[in-house]
């Protein structure tokens, strides 16, 4: 994340406020509020990144222009992904949280982003375990971990303060030895298989 992402980030957030609000982390009463500006948030996250505690990313998508013969497209900010709680030593684990522009949901963008971040954690940082914790009602986020094959580990009652109260979360996890070839490679193979099946079912019998 960079301070110069502010305009695009604010536009996406404003347009998706109703879509994102039920899943937003909130400070419990009596605790320090969240950063009051995008710049303050970026500075805080980048300081934590320098300390080795988190990895803050924006998620971008290059949208084809639609013009015949054109190459490339328009890169758009469509979400945010943060690797947080990075722990080394004998644990070597972290958590991933994310949000997505509703207009771009369902295109495989966020599963790809989560797979990329997970592979970076496993193969560059040398972590062993990645967790994703999701409210049971958040169907869109649940589809991401289901597509990627994260293992469901159970319910964590009143786990995080979300949308003004402590909320239950479902815990999902993946260990590095479960994806020796990398999560991105497995996800791409799954996508190719799904496309092949759809093509077969559409063929004349």
């Amino acid at each position: 994340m960079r301070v110069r992402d502010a305009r695009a980030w604010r536009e996406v957030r404003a347009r998706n406020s109703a879509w994102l609000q039920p899943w937003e982390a909130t400070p419990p009463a009596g605790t320090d509020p969240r950063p009051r500006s995008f710049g303050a948030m970026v500075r805080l996250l980048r300081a934590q990144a320098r300390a080795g505690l988190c990895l803050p990313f924006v998620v971008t998508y290059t949208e084809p222009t639609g013009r015949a013969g054109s190459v490339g497209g328009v890169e758009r900010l469509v979400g945010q992904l943060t690797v947080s709680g990075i722990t080394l030593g004998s644990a070597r684990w972290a958590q991933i949280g994310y949000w997505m522009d509703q207009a771009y949901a369902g295109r495989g963008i966020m599963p790809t982003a989560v797979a990329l971040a997970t592979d970076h954690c496993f193969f560059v940082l040398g972590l062993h375990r990645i967790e994703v914790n999701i409210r049971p009602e958040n169907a869109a986020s649940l589809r991401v971990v289901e597509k990627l094959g994260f293992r469901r580990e159970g319910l964590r009652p009143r786990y995080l303060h979300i949308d003004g109260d402590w909320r239950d979360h479902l815990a999902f996890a993946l260990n590095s030895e479960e994806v020796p070839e990398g999560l991105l490679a497995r996800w791409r193979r799954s996508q190719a298989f799904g496309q092949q099946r759809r093509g077969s079912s559409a063929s004349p019998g």
Side-chain angles (χ1 to χ4, degrees):
M1 294 186 76
R2 300 166 299 189
V3 173
R4 65 178 183 234
D5 293 319
R7 182 176 179 180
W9 188 91
R10 289 193 190 105
E11 187 277 326
V12 173
R13 296 285 301 187
R15 186 161 38 80
N16 286 270
S17 59
W19 159 258
L20 297 174
Q21 185 264 331
W23 326 117
E24 286 286 281
T26 47
T31 63
D32 292 336
R34 294 175 296 179
R36 297 190 178 186
S37 69
F38 178 82
M41 179 185 71
V42 171
R43 287 189 291 273
L44 174 63
L45 288 173
R46 288 174 70 93
Q48 292 175 348
R50 287 191 297 273
L53 301 175
C54 81
L55 296 171
F57 298 111
V58 292
V59 178
T60 63
Y61 174 67
T62 302
E63 194 163 29
T65 61
R67 296 193 299 270
S70 63
V71 178
V74 179
E75 186 179 58
R76 302 187 186 282
L77 190 155
V78 297
Q80 181 178 337
L81 182 151
T82 304
V83 181
S84 62
I86 296 174
T87 304
L88 301 178
S90 59
R92 306 199 75 84
W93 72 279
Q95 300 182 41
I96 288 180
Y98 49 84
W99 60 262
M100 182 81 189
D101 185 337
Q102 185 177 16
Y104 291 87
R107 303 191 193 189
I109 299 169
M110 191 54 74
T112 300
V114 172
L116 283 164
T118 299
D119 284 353
H120 180 80
C121 289
F122 285 161
F123 303 125
V124 178
L125 299 185
L127 301 186
H128 174 249
R129 172 184 170 90
I130 293 296
E131 285 189 8
V132 181
N133 295 285
I134 303 170
R135 285 186 59 183
E137 306 89 348
N138 192 342
S141 285
L142 290 172
R143 282 195 295 272
V144 172
V145 291
E146 288 165 1
K147 288 176 180 178
L148 292 173
F150 273 72
R151 178 178 9 92
R152 178 169 167 170
E153 293 192 330
L155 182 71
R156 292 181 168 174
R158 296 176 61 79
Y159 181 63
L160 292 172
H161 202 271
I162 303 291
D163 191 28
D165 202 356
W166 295 104
R167 310 288 183 178
D168 296 350
H169 281 67
L170 292 171
F172 297 84
L174 196 65
N175 294 337
S176 57
E177 62 266 23
E178 295 177 72
V179 282
E181 77 282 23
L183 185 55
L184 182 63
R186 187 171 80 176
W187 164 236
R188 285 178 169 166
R189 190 168 62 247
S190 173
Q191 284 182 299
F193 179 69
Q195 291 169 355
Q196 185 180 32
R197 287 190 62 185
R198 288 191 294 272
S200 298
S201 64
S203 300

